[in-house]
Amino acid sequence: MNCFILSKNNLNDFLAALDSYELFVPIRKNGITVLAHIDDPLAIKLDLTSQPYLVKQTIFPQTESLFTFDRKKGIKAPSFETNHKSQVVFGIRSCDARGFCIIDPVFEEDYPDPYYIHKRKSTILIGLQCIEPFTNCFCTSVGGSPSSTEGLDLQFTDIGESYFVEVITQKGEEIIKVTAPFLSCPDKNQSVKKDEVKKDAEQKVKRKIDVNQLSQKIEQIFEDSVWSDLAEKCISCGICTFFCPTCYCFDIQDEIIRGKGKRLRTWDSCMYSEYTAHASGYNPRPTRMERLRNRIYHKFKQNIDRYGVSGCVGCGRCITLCPSNEDIVENIETLQRL
Amino acid sequence: MMENPYIPHQAVIDRIKQETTGDRAIKTLDVKLQNNASDKSFQFHPGQCAMLGILGVGESMISIASAPSQNDILTFSIMKLGRVTSEIHACEEGDLLTIRGPYGNYFPLSDWKNKNIVTVGGGIGQAPLRSVIRYVLDKRNDYGDVDIIYGARSVSDLCYRDEFEKLEKGNKVYVHLSIDEEEEGWKQFVGFVPDNLLRIKPSPNNTIVITCGPPIMITLVIKKLIGLGFQDTQIYTTLEKRMKCGIGKCGRCNVGSLYVCKDGPVFSYQQLKTLPET
Amino acid sequence: MDNEKLIAEAKTVLLRGDIVGIIGYQKDSQGFRVSPLFVRDERDIEKLFFSPLCWLSLVNYLTLEKGRLLQKGNPGKKAKVALMVRGCDSKALNQIIIERGLSRDEVYVFGIPCNGVIDLKKIEKMFPDVQGSAQVSENNGFYHVRCNGKSHEVPKEELIADSCKHCVSPNPILYDVLLYTPIVVKQPDYRDIEEIDNMSIAEKWEFWREQFSMCVRCYACRNACPLCYCDDCILERLSPQWIYRSVNMSENLIFHLARSFHHAGRCAGCGECERVCPVNLPLMLLNRKLEKDSKELFHYTVGEKAEQKPLLATFNPQDPDDFIF
């Protein structure tokens, strides 16, 4: 693996050198940290300490036009030719990168989704090693780690005065070529420090869940009344699903004015009662119990059955943001204890 | 270059037949694909569905009710229930629809050669069964006895009435119709479909049963079939779910580890038993 | 605020036999968090508590899932539910009752005079990395915070929820039993609303444009609001469709304006919408603007009297109509 050093003083210059890409960086807005598209990296104040939200927007936008149409003339399909600029998403965490890897097979299998695949291919992900895992993180329990490079093209580790930059993929190499003037070679001390930081971070992940045999357990206790107890305080909003790096459900809607319009897709949530409501009025998941049970089932069993990997990356955002303090770590503990 | 599975083909409504009237009226539409989208992309098998839609309104997943041998024209029976189906009902012959498909798995009819086929349908559930029946009639000598058990709430709720009359006259199949409550002039069975099934008592010997209809009916039918000695692998049904993309991406039709739009809608009872929430 | 009276009342209430359960607050094992507690038998009663950390409206659970809560244990037969109700909650509950969403005899109310609750985001920012549970009590304009084995005195203004700063109804307007002592009522303060009123059109537009482009249409504000209980919510209706599902500034703007307008003369000021919003939209500004307008135009205050009629369901010949000829 190729490695480099980037002095912290040069970070904004590094980003400015990426002017041939659409650049997304974490900035503070309204009290949260989001990945925002910016034009001038030199004038921007980055937030690299708080947990970023809605990273998946950069590859899987919340609202996306599928095609436009004119009732008289027909459909105009979008072209995916590479006239579009590639994009660089800087400052994401390992859990977000793993999140993309987990939803990739959904969009790639059977009927490949050109919207997602094109964006995915033309996006370069630059990760930031977590120094201090966040309050509700439990990534190490579900196959992840604050140091994981899965899904990343470059990983930055803060080693004090500078960043230790690791090149993970060929796409990462492309970035190095463009930003070479600001990079130097690491010495042994810096390399050692980087390893220390990484090891430290893994130990600091405070919360843990026991996923041993969890998949089978969930199937066994599917009809148990415990699910009603777990779901009692849920208010059926979409926060956990929208902020989850591995949730991908979407709705398809048409918008039309005077015969012209578009068909678009927009994020949807299995926690809404409308999600499975049939036009006949029948709803296979009428209450919060069925929906909460389904969500846990999907993350901790279905994903494993279908794709061989847990659907949860352990980022803890659902716990942090839930209005009713539904806590997946506590919920899994309760289920395992049964 | 990757094909875009969200882009539909254009199709035109060739013929409309009003099957039933009322709040949840059913219309049977013959739909013809336009331009060069015909033939190759629409090779389908009985049990499969297509996304029918109207630009500006949306799409709805509907079973294909015609036989694969019926070239160019696809038949759909559509109940007026929600926004999209209401708009489709408001269409006239010559109007344009969009179509995507065929989607889903299908009844393994080639595995069932030389077997007896029994279809048990209720209401609009008869639509995918119609495709099966027509396919079997196309290859009549490949199959044994064919029994069609079909019922609806009342005479005016029965679909394909004229077709059944022709079938009975042709004597290639046995047709057993029923309605839920007594009506003047009705000489056939009065009662629910599962009860009619019990009365007819099909033998499990070398027989496959396919049942489609309201969830309650399916549950009872399966129960009675087990009681009659049928194995899990001899009973087939279709699952209905709310669908949006039809290609296993939007997540909506998921049950267990499967997507009904892709891995279904056809399931044997043996498979159904392994799925949660059913 | 000691919890003994609360627990004693709860025990008495459970023995009554006609009450299906008690909805109250419990302290979470993590940090400053508080969750709803659904008490159905003796075992859980001791967990009930109240403290300045209880920023959560329990009234919402009465109308979630169309009254199933009321039927639990007695399927098909409605029974009473007891619940802990703060000043603002009582206004919301009263509003639902006068709108006939619930009837008074379906609830047994533990009235809780409330001197304001703490904004969880503010206290978690001030005290990050709390190990185990933390407690907060109030005394003389200060919050006494106990966490990580240490105690801290923090002035109320630094931690109190914004919606509580403007509270003029700390005492429940309806209750079956009043726990704790009533609190002196403040006068309304609309200076923050006037500040926005005084902005130019361009400034106002920019302010709200920036806010609404953050909205992710999670519907948490609507789901958390005790007064959003319509079976067929206009915000998600498809036939006819009033608001597109696409998430952009334009549709988000209409979403929030529509929701606010549907609360004119109804909003109880509990601040749930602001509490739950993951992107920190200042939604109470909209609601309080309409509250101010209701006062000025129609001399109507929500919760003034328990038996008052809903504002938009009444007509007074003296109502201002200077915009119609």
Side-chain angles (χ1 to χ4, degrees), chain C residues 1 34 49-55 116-119 136-138 143:
Chain C
M1 280 192 171
V34 162
F49 94 123
F50 188 77
S51 89
L53 289 172
C54 292
W55 192 21
V117 289
I118 290 173
D119 184 330
V136 179
S137 56
E138 186 200 329
Y143 285 128

Side-chain angles (χ1 to χ4, degrees), chain A residues 226-267:
Chain A
V226 67
W227 299 104
S228 286
D229 298 332
L230 296 185
E232 211 154 29
K233 45 189 193 178
C234 170
I235 61 168
S236 259
C237 66
I239 288 179
C240 53
T241 52
F242 284 12
F243 288 80
C244 173
T246 61
C247 276
Y248 57 84
C249 289
F250 56 88
D251 187 10
I252 298 182
Q253 291 279 324
D254 283 12
E255 290 177 7
I256 185 169
I257 295 180
R258 287 189 279 275
K260 295 197 188 137
K262 57 182 174 218
R263 179 164 294 164
L264 49 89
R265 67 168 169 208
T266 182
W267 291 355

Side-chain angles (χ1 to χ4, degrees), chain C residues 198-259:
Chain C
N198 293 333
M199 285 185 191
S200 69
I201 297 270
E203 284 169 335
K204 271 187 224 179
W205 179 251
E206 185 48 36
F207 177 82
W208 290 112
R209 188 204 61 75
E210 186 154 330
Q211 292 298 329
F212 291 136
S213 31
M214 293 280 299
C215 174
V216 287
R217 214 81 82 72
C218 60
Y219 283 80
C221 51
R222 192 232 16 208
N223 283 21
C225 174
L227 285 163
C228 276
Y229 60 92
C230 290
D231 282 347
D232 201 356
C233 177
I234 197 175
L235 304 173
E236 62 186 9
R237 235 194 141 171
L238 287 174
S239 308
Q241 186 169 30
W242 299 100
I243 301 177
Y244 283 143
R245 297 271 169 100
S246 42
V247 180
N248 52 53
M249 199 282 292
S250 158
E251 299 304 301
N252 292 348
L253 173 83
I254 299 298
F255 177 98
H256 290 290
L257 286 185
R259 210 178 73 81

Side-chain angles (χ1 to χ4, degrees), chain A residues 69 71 106 109-111 113 115 248-252 254 263 265 268 275 277 280 285 302 305-306, chain B residues 4 6 24 55-59 103 240 242 244 247 249-252 254 256-257 259 262-263 276-277:
Chain A
F69 55 78
R71 274 215 177 133
V106 175
E109 69 179 1
D110 296 326
Y111 302 93
D113 184 311
Y115 306 86
Y248 57 84
C249 289
F250 56 88
D251 187 10
I252 298 182
D254 283 12
R263 179 164 294 164
R265 67 168 169 208
D268 206 343
Y275 186 69
S280 63
R285 295 188 198 134
Q302 182 200 1
D305 287 349
R306 202 174 171 104
Chain B
N4 191 333
Y6 296 96
R24 294 185 171 189
L55 290 175
V57 185
E59 294 176 314
Y103 292 132
E240 215 184 275
R242 184 176 172 138
K244 279 280 176 169
I247 54 176
K249 307 248 179 268
C250 75
R252 204 174 243 82
N254 139 256
S257 309
Y259 292 113
K262 244 190 344 187
D263 308 308
E277 296 180 318

Side-chain angles (χ1 to χ4, degrees), chain A residues 199-244:
Chain A
K199 197 158 154 227
D200 228 13
E202 288 201 33
Q203 314 285 13
K204 286 183 183 167
V205 176
K206 296 178 203 93
R207 303 196 79 185
K208 306 222 191 298
I209 61 168
D210 174 18
V211 294
N212 187 25
Q213 308 272 343
L214 177 61
S215 177
Q216 293 92 310
K217 190 69 179 274
I218 290 175
E219 184 160 33
Q220 279 163 18
I221 58 171
F222 200 76
E223 303 293 337
D224 196 291
S225 63
V226 67
W227 299 104
S228 286
D229 298 332
L230 296 185
E232 211 154 29
K233 45 189 193 178
C234 170
I235 61 168
S236 259
C237 66
I239 288 179
C240 53
T241 52
F242 284 12
F243 288 80
C244 173

Side-chain angles (χ1 to χ4, degrees), chain A residues 9-53:
Chain A
N9 294 333
N10 287 338
L11 178 59
N12 287 57
D13 290 313
F14 173 93
L15 295 171
L18 301 173
D19 55 2
S20 59
Y21 298 91
E22 301 283 357
L23 186 59
F24 290 84
V25 297
I27 61 170
R28 199 92 180 133
K29 227 181 160 195
N30 253 29
I32 61 167
T33 302
V34 287
L35 273 294
H37 177 258
I38 57 161
D39 290 313
D40 185 7
L42 293 172
I44 205 83
K45 184 164 188 284
L46 302 173
D47 177 18
L48 301 175
T49 46
S50 310
Q51 190 173 34
Y53 289 151

